[in-house]
Amino acid sequence: HGWIDWKEDILRVMDLYNRVQFYNEVLGLPCESASRAITQAEIVACCDESLEFVNGPTQLSQSNMMWAGVDWGETTSRTVLTIGGFVDGSKRFSPLFIKVYSQEESADASYLVEDILRWLLTFQVRAVACDVGHGFGVNSALAREYGIDRVFPIRYMSGASPRLLFSGRGKWEWRCNRSQVIGELFMDIRQRRIRFPKWAQFEAYSKDLLGGFIEYSGRIKQIIYGHPVDQPDDVLHSLNYARLASEIASGSWVMSEQ
């Protein structure tokens, strides 16, 4: 679908609406739940009872390009790997495999790289996007094994930064507007442009999506995404990175800094 023009469609109109109108008419959120990024009912509506998670190559995964996203954890958080694609000729992204690593596993860099590499090879993943914030060492190790041209480090940016920008200047990383791309992900869920596996399987992972909130900060005149400190959202970011991997590989959006 056509991307949102962040400056024109969102930032410019912030001053034209009051808070209630802005949430209702621009963000498409009911006023009473304006801070909630997504509802369980909206996630359930995206679940396909005929689609199931898989633990290895299937006709479905082998006949479609697979993309992956990794949200690296630290000693106090979890690493999550998501693998999926636009299957069955659909324009809707479908996660087919999600693995949540424990805090102990997430603290073992060598184990993580070895295990994630195994799954990437198993599903013949074309490219993987990973967060750069906590993952410089593991990203480099993964790139050495899987190929630097297939590992895309992502650095989230705040404010009115470009949607997706190749850093250049000798840096192999992409910078993306955190609030914008996450906002697009939630919008795609609300408009059923993502297909999740059957609810009985996806419910356990949905908690990482349900804790998020979107708020307009009048102080900095920006939309900000956040989540409670006691409620992880690692699956959300892993899913977001997997979608970005397919975009980056297409090369149709790239703007290089000189």
Side-chain angles (χ1 to χ4, degrees):
H1 57 86
W3 300 119
I4 297 170
D5 186 317
W6 195 242
K7 290 183 178 179
E8 275 296 307
D9 298 334
I10 302 295
L11 301 183
R12 186 183 64 82
V13 299
M14 282 180 175
D15 294 327
L16 305 179
Y17 291 82
N18 63 38
R19 184 175 184 273
V20 173
Q21 289 176 319
F22 181 72
Y23 278 113
N24 287 344
E25 299 178 28
V26 180
L27 299 184
L29 295 169
C31 180
E32 64 273 15
S33 61
S35 63
R36 185 188 304 170
I38 205 74
T39 67
Q40 179 173 305
E42 288 168 327
I43 294 176
V44 171
C46 288
C47 292
D48 185 338
E49 289 302 305
S50 68
L51 184 66
E52 297 187 353
F53 281 122
V54 297
N55 286 314
T58 62
Q59 184 176 353
L60 191 63
S61 67
Q62 290 178 324
S63 60
N64 295 273
M65 287 188 288
M66 291 289 103
W67 311 98
V70 178
D71 185 48
W72 300 110
E74 297 179 278
T75 54
T76 58
S77 60
R78 313 163 305 165
T79 292
V80 177
L81 167 67
T82 296
I83 297 174
F86 300 88
V87 300
D88 286 344
S90 171
K91 294 182 179 180
R92 296 184 297 165
F93 187 85
S94 299
L96 298 179
F97 175 88
I98 298 177
K99 181 169 183 179
V100 178
Y101 295 86
S102 67
Q103 291 183 13
E104 292 74 20
E105 291 171 329
S106 298
D108 187 339
S110 59
Y111 165 75
L112 274 183
V113 171
E114 180 181 347
D115 195 68
I116 288 174
L117 179 64
R118 177 172 67 89
W119 287 113
L120 296 181
L121 293 171
T122 296
F123 282 98
Q124 299 180 318
V125 169
R126 297 297 182 95
V128 54
C130 322
D131 75 281
V132 76
H134 309 303
F136 179 77
V138 278
N139 283 339
S140 297
L142 190 60
R144 283 195 299 271
E145 297 294 331
Y146 203 57
I148 190 171
D149 59 331
R150 295 200 289 174
V151 177
F152 306 141
I154 303 287
R155 185 182 298 277
Y156 279 150
M157 305 297 288
S158 59
S161 57
R163 179 181 179 276
L164 195 53
L165 177 73
F166 179 64
S167 290
R169 299 176 182 176
K171 285 188 176 181
W172 182 255
E173 72 175 40
W174 282 257
R175 300 175 186 176
C176 78
N177 185 312
R178 181 178 185 268
S179 292
Q180 182 176 359
V181 295
I182 292 177
E184 289 171 354
L185 175 57
F186 285 129
M187 183 68 73
D188 282 349
I189 293 174
R190 283 197 293 274
Q191 297 185 1
R192 302 187 187 182
R193 291 197 289 246
I194 288 184
R195 184 171 62 154
F196 294 126
K198 59 197 301 183
W199 175 245
Q201 293 184 349
F202 190 72
E203 181 179 7
Y205 303 105
S206 70
K207 295 177 176 61
D208 278 35
L209 281 65
L210 290 169
F213 57 85
I214 294 177
E215 288 284 1
Y216 168 57
S217 171
R219 182 178 63 84
I220 61 174
K221 294 185 180 298
Q222 297 291 336
I223 296 172
I224 56 174
Y225 164 78
H227 69 99
V229 294
D230 61 344
Q231 189 160 350
D233 63 349
D234 313 301
V235 172
L236 167 72
H237 295 293
S238 178
L239 173 63
N240 189 44
Y241 293 139
R243 294 192 344 144
L244 288 174
S246 68
E247 274 192 67
I248 293 173
S250 74
S252 60
W253 48 265
V254 175
M255 298 179 294
S256 296
E257 289 183 350
Q258 302 299 327

